[in-house]
Amino acid sequence: MRNRKIVKIQLIALAILTALVVGRVWIGSGEPDGLVVMTDLDEAELRRATVKLNAISAFTVEATGSLEEKFDPDGPIPALAAYPWILNRDTREVVWQMSPANVQVERTTLVHSATTLTLPAGTYDIFFTTYGNSRESRKKGNVITSLFKTHWTSDSDSWQLIMRLAGDADAASAVVSSDHQEDLAPRGEGILWTSAPMPNYLKKQYVFTVDQPGTIRTYALGEICEREECDYGWVEEVFSGTRVWELTGLNSTAAGGMATNRMSNQDVELPPGMYRAVFRTDRRHAWGKWIANPPLDPAGWGMTLQTGVGEGATIGARTFDPWTDLTPVIRISHVGNDERRQVQFEVSTPTDVVLAAVGEITGSGSLYDCAWLRNDKTGEQIWEMSYANSFSAGGASKNRQEVAFIKLPAGLYSVFYETDDSHAFDSWNSPKPTHPDRWGVALFELGDAPTIRLSERAAPVVAPRVPPAPASPPADVPPLGTGEVIADARGIRSESDVALPISLTSPARLHVVALGEISMIGRYDYAWIENRDGATVWEMSYENTVPEQSNDAYRKFDGIIELPSGSYVVRFTTDFSRAYGDFGNEAPAEPEAWGVVVERLPAE
């Protein structure tokens, strides 16, 4: 009996809903007339229209939106959940907005607003948002609340905006436009750079130089969360990384919409120097994919730099691009699959350099095609490409580019580039980058006087693997750096076979340091030296190496061998598993030393 009553109630409710739908279809939508008409809005939508005025014009604006909470006649009007506004695209100023101060409550959450506006010539973007001011604010909407109009999402059939020319206004003065999204971002005189509008999970950067002291304006919109900066940006000095400005909760104000939307419009004084502006977004709430109401300037999401403002209007700021402003001293480019290239160079006096690299790096941080820089005297890896410091190179998301600024003391250095077995120049398995010819790395020198000289040491070659034979080194080993480096193959990745030819014009004492993976039952990553006939004159073995750190399979050889004059090849091979760049959770203390280095010691 009880079930029959429940079914009867459900049938009655279904009949009422059917009658409402049929009644609405019978009556018709009654689409109003106007220059801009927004109707049939859905929840979780940002609707936009653009009007361009070539003369001052008057308008009437009528709009219906919703409050986030039920209206209490004895209390203040709550915040709005669904509402329109008008933005002057040229000035980024809101010229009108539906707000609690200018609405009349029609029922529970439904509100109405009407006004007359006079707008000067210019471009205006009209927005209507229906997301609610938090993701949770939409969760209570359902069939029951819609039926009895008890939640703001049930007002959707009433949401609308009608914008009409008022009085005798010239209809030709106003034109409705369908601009593309890139046209909505800040543009115009004085704009040095903008990253807006920025979608989710993206990073953009811009490098610029300041020739004389002055002021630059930073206009930024992002999301500052309680525990971290979700979508934010900063301006830093390129060599030191010191941030001269950044978007924070303290230097920003509410940007409208969701509470975490923040806006900053500040003047920053900059001394002469070179700077980098960076803006990054996380995986939620950004242009094109809002989780709640966007800011009042949604297309400004990102960072915009403007010159010619304030007392520092004479600031001399200009874009810096090493590819157009400089000539590379070293260029490793057009790198194909399964290649490892190295260029050694000497710095005579301290100098500033720029490294520009393009490669394959995934969001997990895995390096497949990448570049790095090493101090050959100390073996220290000074710089390596990373996902965190790179940004999109165009095409597939794994195409990444990085621009690094480094101060180099006098010394001997090598720049490396290595690729795996897929997705490299002229062999792409996904969309190629914007500049495929730059797949590799280039080194540029800043300053007028050249201080870099390329080494005359032979470049590495690839040779077939020859099974080694055992040998042992003598003791009494000096520290690395005592002699002249004649072969250097460190930072070796999986599935590599590296061969470095060396030539000894007289008998020599060689200091060899090698790090690899060898167990009692087999050798996986190890080094050896062959003579010109292919015979092994020295090799790593389990017996002549010692454990490196806690993993007994990571073995290190650090000793001296003596060879007669002649031609030799220093070799290092790796298998498919653990190697530089992919040690998992068991990396050695010096992962960049994975490989072999050979020094010629001074004659005794």
Side-chain angles (χ1 to χ4, degrees), residues 105 254 276 289 318 405 434 534 545 578 580 597:
V105 180
R276 185 197 327 252
K289 198 172 183 180
R318 56 185 174 84
F405 296 81
T434 304
T545 56
R578 293 176 297 189
Y580 179 71
V597 58

Side-chain angles (χ1 to χ4, degrees), residues 10 58 87 197 238 250 257 270 316 335 346 352 375 470 536 548 557 572:
Q10 290 175 334
L87 181 78
V238 295
L250 297 177
L270 295 179
V335 187
E346 184 178 1
D352 296 337
N375 184 322
T536 298
E548 203 276 1
F557 176 90
F572 193 88

